[in-house]
Amino acid sequence: MVYERKDELRAIKLNSQPVSTLFILNFWCGSFLTAYHSPKENIMRKFVILVFVLVLLVVPFTVSAAPPTHAHVHFGDENAGSPFPPDHDRSFHATDKMVPRTVVISQGGSVTFNTTPPHQIAIYKPGTLPEDINLHPDFLEDLVLPSPPFPPNTIIPDILIDDPVGRVVLGPDPNFFGHVEWTTPAGTFDEPGRYLVICTILPHFAEADMYGWVIVK
Ligand SMILES: [Cu+2]
């Protein structure tokens, strides 16, 4: 018993390691570590300790570095920005259009968007930039407002962006009456890269910068 305690202290001195680490290693490894005495065996002991330390440090880091398979995003924030006319999302007047504005997921994963009224999501392939979205009238569509509350056949012309070039998926139509929770379908994020997410309502995108990113690793 006395011999083991003496050898343990000697191991601490020889290796110049943090005391707490060596005590833990000695506790775990017991006589296996303290049994070596020759210089060659001391080198081997140091190597074993080094491997243990690397495993302890590197493995948890590697596991935690993997991005999640799924992320949640608030698309529009009713509690951000100055008041807007009734029945409209106040985030037009704030910087928080998509919270968080960038999410990171693993390849093949998905994102669930909680959309405030009225927005519509479109997701474009990796490499697409906001300035790549074509806002020419040929790529804009009319929006028929719901009746009620709007008068019958009320139309806002050329307000929905419909640029199919590079578009991976288009979300549900704008909903004027409540939140829409929508999860991207399988296959949306099968390739790694940075996907552009926009609101297809022209003033939201072009004037309020309502766009964000999904980074797939
Ligand atoms: Cu919008």
Side-chain angles (χ1 to χ4, degrees):
M1 188 66 186
V2 174
Y3 175 80
E4 288 179 358
R5 174 64 179 164
K6 185 179 177 182
D7 197 61
E8 182 181 72
L9 293 173
R10 182 169 166 266
I12 295 168
K13 185 178 179 182
L14 282 174
N15 291 285
S16 300
Q17 296 288 336
V19 173
S20 58
T21 304
L22 270 181
F23 268 113
I24 291 170
L25 287 172
N26 268 335
F27 176 77
W28 282 353
C29 303
S31 59
F32 174 72
L33 288 177
T34 57
Y36 297 112
H37 295 288
S38 70
K40 184 179 178 181
E41 287 169 335
N42 271 333
I43 292 174
M44 183 179 290
R45 182 174 57 181
K46 287 179 181 178
F47 177 74
V48 170
I49 291 173
L50 181 64
V51 169
F52 267 100
V53 170
L54 286 177
V55 168
L56 288 173
L57 293 178
V58 172
V59 169
F61 176 77
T62 304
V63 170
S64 64
T69 58
H70 187 248
H72 283 265
V73 169
H74 290 277
F75 203 71
D77 188 346
E78 294 164 311
N79 300 315
S82 55
F84 203 86
D87 302 323
H88 195 289
D89 173 17
R90 292 165 52 159
S91 65
F92 191 93
H93 287 169
T95 55
D96 298 328
K97 312 301 191 309
M98 179 173 152
V99 185
R101 196 168 196 181
T102 301
V103 292
V104 182
I105 60 171
S106 58
Q107 191 171 359
S110 60
V111 177
T112 295
F113 292 91
N114 188 316
T115 306
T116 55
H119 302 289
Q120 184 185 34
I121 297 163
I123 301 174
Y124 288 84
K125 69 179 183 180
T128 308
L129 297 174
E131 51 265 38
D132 296 329
I133 304 301
N134 197 331
L135 303 182
H136 187 276
D138 289 348
F139 293 89
L140 299 176
E141 295 208 336
D142 300 344
L143 176 63
V144 180
L145 298 179
S147 173
F150 301 101
N153 300 317
T154 302
I155 294 174
I156 304 178
D158 290 344
I159 194 174
L160 285 180
I161 301 167
D162 186 23
D163 179 4
V165 179
R167 190 173 61 199
V168 179
V169 66
L170 183 64
D173 290 340
N175 186 318
F176 286 80
F177 303 112
H179 289 237
V180 175
E181 191 169 275
W182 174 69
T183 299
T184 54
T188 302
F189 299 115
D190 277 354
E191 292 180 25
R194 189 174 74 154
Y195 292 70
L196 173 67
V197 181
I198 73 165
C199 179
T200 66
I201 297 179
L202 179 61
H204 293 188
F205 173 69
E207 297 176 30
D209 289 337
M210 191 165 185
Y211 63 85
W213 310 94
V214 175
I215 297 174
V216 177
K217 293 184 175 179

